[in-house]
Amino acid sequence: MMMHSVGYSICMIFWFLFCVVIGSESVNSESIARNSLDSLIQEYAFKALSWPRTKTGTVYEGTVPSNLSGIKISALMLRRDSLKWRGYGYYHEFLIPTGITVEPYVTRIVLVYQNLGNWSSFYYPLPSGYIYQTPILGILTYDAMDMCAKNKSRLQIHALQNPLNIKFSNVQLESEEPSLLKCVYFNSNKFIEFGNVTNGNICSTRKQGHFAIVAEVNVAPSPAPSADGNDHQLITSEVWTISLGFLGFAFLVVVFVFAQNCILVERRPIFLEDSATIIVPLLTEVPLSEEGLSRSLPENDYAIRPLPENDYMAQINQQL
């Protein structure tokens, strides 16, 4: 029973480590997938620009590969100074105001528009308790120089005066309570931010990124734990207690064996010396026979008793 419990505990520990590793790998895989999608969309959006005949202020619609059917993309080239002092107006659902700054400094930029359509929940899964009411809309900024480059570095834009407004169309209202609608923003660090929806379909931002309108749904409360669940928790706690006790006992055994080995090694010479002092006097203090009392012996000689067969031979000689 104890061995079974220890085996179960070891399996639980390995399963926990496995879940941690898989969880971290899943987060990394989502980030890699999003970055790869942005790079692919940037590449195909730049192909839509008929360089060097590209006109500033003109929207060029692009196409994506067939395996990403349902995603809409476009590209818009603007001068940095024109963007800052005059703005642009509506670029699809994005209203671009004046006072937009670009970092680092470039002379011309390209705004890449994304509408992920039915791929929204695949690349940007929502936390529990929220559902999409619109597809993901994205706007990202790139340097307009070297139009043929792939995996171009992304620029950053900031709305200093008025925010960018995103006017979503065809909001799927599945609830009669508008207060349950939220703006959701996915920033470059893969964090999610929530905001308020104005006029039923407008979200505001001062940064670039990916946006959508979501609805907060009421999640049914989890059922109360049953007796079986309590028993399972009790068994699990007992298993952990037994396992920890076994590990502690094993540790104490190892320490005890180690200490015993050290003590025996240190005491072994002392034991041999004591045994010598006991054995030597027994060999020296042997009483002599009466016949040998008159005969003087050297100090180092030991008295030796005649063998029984010698006594028997002496008696026979006397009879004869």
Side-chain angles (χ1 to χ4, degrees):
M1 181 64 181
M2 181 178 294
M3 296 300 296
H4 176 73
S5 301
V6 173
Y8 177 78
S9 301
I10 295 175
C11 293
M12 290 294 293
I13 293 173
F14 278 108
W15 178 251
F16 173 75
L17 296 176
F18 177 77
C19 292
V20 171
V21 173
I22 294 300
S24 60
E25 290 182 355
S26 64
V27 172
N28 293 332
S29 63
E30 289 179 3
S31 302
I32 294 173
R34 295 175 185 177
N35 293 332
S36 300
L37 178 65
D38 291 339
S39 300
L40 183 64
I41 289 177
Q42 174 265 318
E43 178 183 350
Y44 278 88
F46 271 53
K47 288 182 180 180
L49 299 173
S50 302
W51 186 259
R53 295 173 295 174
T54 303
K55 297 180 180 180
T56 59
T58 301
V59 177
Y60 292 86
E61 303 294 338
T63 57
V64 295
S66 58
N67 59 343
L68 293 176
S69 178
I71 296 179
K72 299 178 182 179
I73 63 174
S74 64
L76 171 64
M77 178 185 290
L78 295 172
R79 290 185 177 90
R80 176 183 178 276
D81 294 338
S82 176
L83 178 65
K84 181 178 180 180
W85 300 112
R86 294 190 297 176
Y88 181 78
Y90 271 103
Y91 175 32
H92 291 291
E93 291 90 348
F94 290 88
L95 177 60
I96 302 175
T98 59
I100 302 294
T101 61
V102 181
E103 295 179 356
Y105 179 86
V106 293
T107 57
R108 295 189 181 189
I109 66 171
V110 175
L111 295 177
V112 174
Y113 165 85
Q114 305 177 9
N115 184 333
L116 300 187
N118 56 353
W119 293 89
S120 299
S121 58
F122 179 80
Y123 285 101
Y124 293 88
L126 290 172
S128 177
Y130 294 91
I131 58 174
Y132 278 109
Q133 302 297 301
T134 65
I136 287 283
L137 301 180
I139 187 169
L140 301 175
T141 310
Y142 299 91
D143 188 358
M145 298 301 294
D146 193 6
M147 302 292 291
C148 297
K150 297 181 180 180
N151 299 325
K152 294 176 68 67
S153 59
R154 192 179 304 172
L155 305 176
Q156 297 295 328
I157 60 174
H158 304 279
L160 300 180
Q161 299 177 3
N162 300 317
L164 283 78
N165 289 331
I166 312 166
K167 188 175 182 180
F168 292 90
S169 58
N170 301 324
V171 178
Q172 302 174 1
L173 295 177
E174 297 183 0
S175 174
E176 297 180 356
E177 300 182 16
S179 60
L180 297 178
L181 295 179
K182 298 290 182 181
C183 296
V184 61
Y185 165 61
F186 299 89
N187 60 23
S188 57
N189 295 327
K190 311 303 182 272
F191 291 110
I192 300 178
E193 298 179 8
F194 292 94
N196 297 324
V197 178
T198 58
N199 297 330
N201 64 339
I202 296 177
C203 295
S204 299
T205 182
R206 295 185 180 273
K207 299 172 289 186
Q208 65 182 5
H210 298 82
F211 311 87
I213 293 180
V214 299
E216 186 176 1
V217 296
N218 295 324
V219 180
S222 58
S226 60
D228 295 337
N230 293 334
D231 294 339
H232 177 72
Q233 293 179 357
L234 182 60
I235 293 173
T236 303
S237 62
E238 291 178 354
V239 167
W240 278 108
T241 303
I242 294 174
S243 302
L244 293 176
F246 176 79
L247 293 177
F249 177 77
F251 176 78
L252 292 177
V253 169
V254 172
V255 173
F256 178 78
V257 172
F258 179 78
Q260 286 294 105
N261 290 334
C262 294
I263 294 172
L264 289 177
V265 169
E266 292 179 358
R267 289 186 176 180
R268 188 173 296 115
I270 300 174
F271 175 78
L272 293 176
E273 292 178 359
D274 294 340
S275 61
T277 59
I278 296 173
I279 296 173
V280 171
L282 292 178
L283 294 176
T284 57
E285 297 177 0
V286 178
L288 297 176
S289 61
E290 296 180 354
E291 297 178 358
L293 291 174
S294 62
R295 185 169 54 91
S296 62
L297 291 175
E299 295 181 356
N300 295 330
D301 290 345
Y302 297 102
I304 301 175
R305 175 181 175 82
L307 294 175
E309 62 180 0
N310 294 335
D311 296 339
Y312 178 73
M313 294 298 300
Q315 293 178 4
I316 293 177
N317 291 331
Q318 293 178 359
Q319 294 178 1
L320 291 176

